[in-house]
Amino acid sequence: ETGVTQTPRHLVMGMTNKKSLKCEQHLGHNAMYWYKQSAKKPLELMFVYNFKEQTENNSVPSRFSPECPNSSHLFLHLHTLQPEDSALYLCASSQILGDTQYFGPGTRLTVL
Amino acid sequence: QKEVEQDPGPLSVPEGAIVSLNCTYSNSAFQYFMWYRQYSRKGPELLMYTYSSGNKEDGRFTAQVDKSSKYISLFIRDSQPSDSATYLCACDSGGSNYKLTFGKGTLLTVNP
C-alpha cells in the first residue's frame, strides 16, 4: 500500500448505528486531518492531529469522535448520525502542519 | 461573503481547448494558493502550488495569482479528456494558521 488509504470506501448506516472510519498513511507524515465533503459545498476541515495530539476541532458535533493512536493511523468513530451527515469523508496527511496535504480516496457515507 | 468563491460549473469544452478556471478570495492574509484535481470517486490531488503573486507553469498547466485583485486562475492548454475532473482552489495564510480554505470546486468535462 502506498500513500493514504481509507476503509471502508462506502458505508451505509442507520441513525442508531455505531461505525468507524479508518485512515492509514504510508508516507511517514506527522500530521493527519479529517475533512467532510458535501455536494455543492467546500471541503470542511473537521479535525487535525499533529504527532498524535489533536490540535483542531472545528466545532464538530460530538457524534463524530476522532482517534489517533499513532502518527500513521486515524479513526473517525460515528454514532447517532443524522441524514445530513451523509457525505464523502476524506483523510489527509502532511509531513508537518502547514505542509502539502495528501488525500486519501475517501469514504462515501450514507446515513438512512 | 464566503472566503473563497469558485463557480461550480459544470464546464464542458472540446478536446484541445484552452480552459480557464478561476477563484476569488476575500482574506488578504492568504499567501499560498493551490489547485487540487479530484477525479470521480477519488480524493483531491495537488496539481499546482503558488506562493504570493505571479505565474507558475507546469507542462500544460499554468497557475496565476493576482493578490491585488484577490483573483487566482488555472489555465489548461490543449485540454485532454483525461483532464475531466473537479478542480478545487485552496488558499492558506501560512505560519501557525495551517488551515486550507477551499472553493466549492469546478466540474470540468473535456469532450473528445
Side-chain angles (χ1 to χ4, degrees), chain A residues 6-79:
Chain A
Q6 290 187 244
T7 55
R9 294 294 309 276
H10 300 272
L11 178 62
V12 179
M13 59 186 289
M15 293 168 61
T16 57
N17 292 159
K18 289 185 181 181
K19 297 286 184 183
S20 295
L21 310 184
K22 179 183 176 182
C23 174
E24 183 174 0
Q25 57 94 0
H26 309 266
L27 301 168
H29 289 170
N30 297 299
M32 297 188 77
Y33 312 76
W34 278 118
Y35 286 89
K36 176 183 179 182
Q37 187 175 35
S38 305
K40 303 189 189 306
K41 293 179 72 174
L43 265 74
E44 301 172 55
L45 180 66
M46 301 175 71
F47 301 104
V48 180
Y49 278 82
N50 188 36
F51 290 95
K52 302 188 301 179
E53 298 299 319
Q54 186 180 130
T55 59
E56 182 79 26
N57 176 338
N58 203 22
S59 303
V60 180
S62 59
R63 57 186 183 269
F64 295 91
S65 175
E67 178 190 0
C68 188
N70 55 62
S71 291
S72 299
H73 293 86
L74 186 63
F75 295 89
L76 188 62
H77 303 300
L78 315 171
H79 65 97

Side-chain angles (χ1 to χ4, degrees), chain B:
Chain B
Q1 183 184 13
K2 295 182 177 60
E3 282 202 285
V4 179
E5 298 269 10
Q6 183 176 11
D7 186 343
L11 181 63
S12 181
V13 301
E15 184 175 354
I18 296 175
V19 176
S20 173
L21 303 168
N22 309 292
C23 290
T24 58
Y25 65 92
S26 58
N27 188 345
S28 57
F30 288 148
Q31 298 278 357
Y32 302 88
F33 305 91
M34 286 137 279
W35 284 96
Y36 282 82
R37 178 176 60 195
Q38 185 174 18
Y39 289 115
S40 179
R41 290 186 285 278
K42 300 275 190 180
E45 58 175 330
L46 183 65
L47 193 59
M48 298 287 283
Y49 179 96
T50 311
Y51 170 69
S52 195
S53 284
N55 292 357
K56 186 171 184 178
E57 191 172 319
D58 184 1
R60 297 184 294 109
F61 298 89
T62 299
Q64 201 169 76
V65 177
D66 182 347
K67 289 191 70 181
S68 63
S69 57
K70 298 188 177 67
Y71 195 83
I72 58 178
S73 303
L74 177 71
F75 298 97
I76 307 174
R77 289 185 301 280
D78 188 25
S79 56
Q80 303 294 309
S82 58
D83 295 327
S84 298
T86 296
Y87 289 80
L88 306 164
C89 61
C91 306
D92 182 9
S93 56
S96 59
N97 184 3
Y98 47 78
K99 298 181 198 179
L100 292 180
T101 302
F102 284 86
K104 291 182 181 180
T106 300
L107 176 60
L108 170 68
T109 301
V110 180
N111 301 298

